[in-house]
């Protein structure tokens, strides 16, 4: 099992590094492409118009929502990093440890919160006119597996919790 755990650890590190590099590249591209238009808008914005009823609110909303989307993508990557902690526990032979149960719950929680919040932010982004949004198309994309996967991790946490109880009972009977 240790050889498999090491292989899975290497694969997990590769996936995490790839995901972080994609996120950083997207942030860099957003910054370079959008910051120039934002500066032009800031120079030409009418300072006498009410803030909440003008392009000012729309422009700022777009940047705030985009920053929120980057945050949630980073949070999802953080959730994937818990797989490394689970693999460490498995390598030590602690399959049904409290840590693994806690990590499975955290991963499930992160997957579900990521999906809900990104759907909300993309909906808001569509409201301000910066993107198209179709709820069913969004669900068909990356979200179709994240909510069921999050629920599956909650179920795994319950299974591991029951496994821990059974393991403790077996240790007492031997």
């Amino acid at each position: 099992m240790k050889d498999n755990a090491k292989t899975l650890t290497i694969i997990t590190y590769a996936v995490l590094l790839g995901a972080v590099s994609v996120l950083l590249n997207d942030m860099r591209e957003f910054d370079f492409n959008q910051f120039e238009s934002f500066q032009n808008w800031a120079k030409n914005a009418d300072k006498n118009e009410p803030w909440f009823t003008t392009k000012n609110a729309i422009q700022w909303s777009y940047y705030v929502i985009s920053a929120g989307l980057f945050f949630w993508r980073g949070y999802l990557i953080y959730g994937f990093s818990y797989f490394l902690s689970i693999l460490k526990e498995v390598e030590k032979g602690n399959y049904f440890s409290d840590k693994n149960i806690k990590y499975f719950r955290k991963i499930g929680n992160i997957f579900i919160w990521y999906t809900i919040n990104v759907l909300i932010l993309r909906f808001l982004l569509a409201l301000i006119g910066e993107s198209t949004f179709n709820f069913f198309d969004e669900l068909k994309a990356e979200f179709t597996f994240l909510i069921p996967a999050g629920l599956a991790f909650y179920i795994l946490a319950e299974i591991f919790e029951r496994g821990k109880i059974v393991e403790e009972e077996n240790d007492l009977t031997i």
Side-chain angles (χ1 to χ4, degrees):
M1 183 62 193
K2 287 189 178 190
D3 291 336
N4 291 338
K6 287 184 183 199
T7 304
L8 289 173
T9 302
I10 291 169
I11 291 170
T12 305
Y13 272 119
V15 168
L16 285 172
L17 288 174
V20 168
S21 68
V22 167
L23 176 62
L24 291 175
N25 186 51
D26 287 349
M27 289 172 68
R28 183 187 58 81
E29 284 179 9
F30 175 80
D31 187 39
F32 287 148
N33 295 337
Q34 302 298 324
F35 189 68
E36 187 175 315
S37 68
F38 181 71
Q39 283 181 326
N40 292 336
W41 164 80
K43 290 176 188 174
N44 299 329
D46 186 4
K47 309 290 190 250
N48 296 326
E49 289 184 38
W51 195 81
F52 287 108
T53 59
T54 64
K55 294 179 200 174
N56 296 352
I58 292 172
Q59 191 72 15
W60 278 103
S61 298
Y62 173 66
Y63 288 101
V64 169
I65 291 170
S66 296
L69 287 170
F70 288 132
F71 167 78
W72 284 106
R73 282 177 60 194
Y75 190 60
L76 184 64
I77 293 168
Y78 169 71
F80 279 111
S81 71
Y82 280 113
F83 287 116
L84 294 171
S85 302
I86 291 170
L87 289 170
K88 275 186 194 174
E89 287 294 310
V90 167
E91 237 178 90
K92 293 178 189 175
N94 301 331
Y95 299 101
F96 300 109
S97 69
D98 287 331
K99 288 181 180 179
N100 279 349
I101 295 166
K102 181 177 73 171
Y103 295 148
F104 280 128
R105 281 200 180 104
K106 282 185 177 184
I107 292 170
N109 196 16
I110 288 170
F111 280 17
I112 291 171
W113 278 108
Y114 169 83
T115 305
I116 292 168
N117 285 300
V118 168
L119 277 173
I120 290 169
L121 288 175
R122 286 190 181 172
F123 175 73
L124 291 173
L125 202 57
L127 281 179
I128 63 171
E130 293 293 333
S131 75
T132 59
F133 178 83
N134 183 338
F135 182 76
F136 295 107
D137 286 341
E138 294 294 333
L139 280 177
K140 281 192 264 180
E142 62 190 289
F143 301 114
T144 10
F145 83 93
L146 284 177
I147 286 183
L151 294 173
F153 282 112
Y154 277 121
I155 292 169
L156 274 174
E158 289 299 317
I159 291 170
F160 272 58
E161 195 167 11
R162 303 275 172 144
K164 181 181 178 206
I165 292 169
V166 169
E167 184 181 57
E168 288 172 353
E169 288 174 358
N170 284 341
D171 288 344
L172 292 175
T173 58
I174 293 178

